[in-house]
Amino acid sequence: EVQLVESGGGLVQVGGSLRLSCAASGFNFDDYYIGWFRQAPGKEREPVSCLSTRDGSKFQASLVKGRFTISSDITKNTVYLQMARLESEDTAVYYCAIKSRARGWGWVSAGVDYWGKGTLVTVSS
């Protein structure tokens, strides 16, 4: 059974930093891309970042503007999202997700195979 459990969300001030974690299990990491989406109140879910543990390649959506870094620790089956210089617009529920490599590249919600339940990040002004 696939399990994606996010943690690390909370309240942070504008300009601050936060690190999110996704504890992942129940699947072969070599067969999936893994990463993050987010959904702000009243808005659609949007891609943030993902990586391939097979070759270390990474994708970052333009919205992060170089402020976020995705990484992984395979020995702990954990993927991270380090967020810096946070803005009020970053307030959202952040979701960990995986997508089968067999369906090709493209980090979009419609292609996701499994979702975590999300962790809330609130950036105060």
Side-chain angles (χ1 to χ4, degrees):
E1 180 182 355
V2 173
Q3 295 287 327
L4 303 171
V5 182
E6 304 95 333
S7 62
L11 178 64
V12 63
Q13 294 190 93
V14 170
S17 299
L18 207 61
R19 188 178 75 163
L20 307 183
S21 299
C22 174
S25 62
F27 63 97
N28 187 344
F29 277 64
D30 286 343
D31 294 334
Y32 290 85
Y33 300 109
I34 184 166
W36 299 88
F37 289 78
R38 73 183 188 186
Q39 188 165 21
K43 298 184 178 180
E44 295 184 352
R45 194 166 299 185
E46 60 185 349
V48 175
S49 187
C50 70
L51 62 76
S52 167
T53 58
R54 181 186 294 181
D55 59 13
S57 61
K58 300 178 181 180
F59 162 79
Q60 290 187 16
S62 60
L63 65 87
V64 308
K65 296 178 287 186
R67 300 173 299 125
F68 298 176
T69 302
I70 191 169
S71 63
S72 65
D73 184 343
I74 300 302
T75 65
K76 298 180 180 179
N77 291 339
T78 301
V79 175
Y80 306 97
L81 185 69
Q82 180 68 54
M83 304 185 292
R85 303 190 305 280
L86 285 162
E87 305 167 357
S88 60
E89 293 78 10
D90 295 317
T91 295
V93 176
Y94 284 73
Y95 297 91
C96 186
I98 61 172
K99 173 190 174 182
S100 174
R101 296 179 64 95
R103 297 170 58 219
W105 184 253
W107 195 241
V108 296
S109 295
V112 167
D113 292 293
Y114 297 96
W115 296 96
K117 294 186 180 296
T119 185
L120 177 62
V121 173
T122 302
V123 184
S124 66
S125 60

